[in-house]
């Protein structure tokens, strides 16, 4: 059993929990993820490691389905059955030059860890974070502290620039030489935002979030198409070259269990 030491709703339906999991926290690197199970009969869900401090690992999620609602309902001091990780390859952290880290919605939660690792490796780091509205923006202060420059956008203009992170990325790559870009958020946001760097041939990473079960390359549920080949996001990723990902197939596969998910959340709400 793993204890949730802290739990907060940091934005509308977005929760952060700090779990006491020394084996994960001490080995976690930027870009990696964990698979958690709330109890013995619970489904396994993959969640990105947002930060690690001492024995604690921070996980951020949006309460949208049965499992994430159940996770959000656990009070500090409560337990979850399993946390497996760190899983997946870490982000490609090296001396790139100037890097841009783009986070959208709950995907912003992964950006401080990657931005911090890239800063430590001697890069200039430009952050762009975007959310639907001011109430859904997370980790602005954390990112401002780490990044050399931070741009904030909201879809409705309630904070920062009115518009999308993709607009700022387009201008940034037009204005200066950018050596590598990370884009993390919903699949549709990653698909659209990564178009801003395609023509310029800028190395662009996205972190894929397909349905996962075992996280060890055995079940095949996380298979994605990258550069025309089948890959398993859990063991080959989760980060891939954005310009080679078949996002439409990813989004189609993310919807596989939509009916069952609706049923599960309806039962949970009863
Ligand atoms: Fe089973 Fe990746 S989650 S193969």
């Amino acid at each position: 059993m793993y204890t949730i030491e802290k739990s907060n709703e940091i934005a509308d339906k977005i929760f952060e929990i700090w779990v006491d999991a020394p084996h994960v926290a001490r080995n976690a690197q930027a870009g990696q993820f964990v698979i958690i199970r709330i109890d013995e009969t619970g489904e396994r869900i993959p969640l990105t490691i947002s930060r690690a401090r001492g024995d604690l690992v921070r996980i951020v999620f949006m309460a949208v389905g049965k499992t994430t609602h159940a996770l959000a309902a656990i009070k500090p001091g409560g337990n979850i059955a399993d946390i497996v990780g760190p899983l997946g390859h870490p982000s490609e952290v090296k001396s790139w030059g100037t890097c841009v880290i783009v986070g959208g919605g709950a995907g912003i939660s992964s950006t401080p860890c990657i931005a911090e690792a890239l800063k430590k490796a001697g890069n200039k780091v430009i952050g762009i974070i975007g959310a639907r509205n001011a109430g859904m923006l997370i980790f602005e202060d954390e990112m401002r502290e780490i990044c050399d420059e931070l741009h904030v956008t909201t879809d409705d203009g309630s904070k920062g620039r009115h518009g999308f992170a993709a607009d700022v990325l387009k201008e940034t790559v037009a204005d200066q030489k950018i050596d590598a870009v990370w884009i993390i958020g919903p699949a549709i946001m990653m698909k659209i935002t990564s178009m801003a760097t395609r023509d310029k041939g800028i190395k662009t990473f996205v972190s894929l979030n397909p349905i996962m079960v075992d996280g060890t390359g055995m079940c095949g549920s996380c298979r994605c198409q990258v550069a025309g080949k089948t890959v398993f996001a859990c063991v080959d990723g989760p980060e891939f070259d954005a310009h080679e990902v078949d996002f439409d197939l990813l989004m189609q596969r993310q919807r596989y269990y939509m009916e069952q998910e609706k049923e599960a959340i309806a039962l949970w709400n009863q």
Side-chain angles (χ1 to χ4, degrees), residues 212-215 217-222 232 234:
M212 289 191 190
V213 178
D214 66 318
M218 301 294 284
C219 70
S221 66
C222 68
F232 292 154
C234 66

Side-chain angles (χ1 to χ4, degrees), residues 49-126:
I49 297 168
S50 173
R51 216 86 200 256
R53 288 281 177 268
D55 288 348
L56 302 182
V57 56
R58 181 173 73 189
I59 296 167
V60 177
F61 58 93
M62 184 173 248
V64 283
K66 183 209 159 196
T67 301
T68 45
H69 273 96
L71 191 57
I74 301 173
K75 301 279 175 246
N79 297 313
I80 55 171
D82 301 310
I83 175 165
V84 180
L87 297 169
H89 294 289
S91 305
E92 200 176 321
V93 174
K94 63 178 187 180
S95 178
W96 290 91
T98 302
C99 302
V100 180
I101 319 290
V102 187
I108 298 170
S109 64
S110 312
T111 58
C113 202
I114 301 173
E116 190 175 53
L118 288 166
K119 270 301 282 183
K120 275 191 190 147
N123 296 285
K124 176 182 176 187
V125 178
I126 299 169

Side-chain angles (χ1 to χ4, degrees), residues 1-32:
M1 297 293 262
Y2 296 88
T3 305
I4 294 179
E5 297 291 345
K6 288 185 238 169
S7 174
N8 298 303
E9 186 170 7
I10 53 174
D12 189 20
K13 291 198 179 126
I14 302 179
F15 292 80
E16 76 166 5
I17 55 172
W18 287 87
V19 186
D20 189 354
H23 66 287
V24 179
R26 290 183 197 153
N27 296 300
Q29 293 181 63
Q32 291 185 297

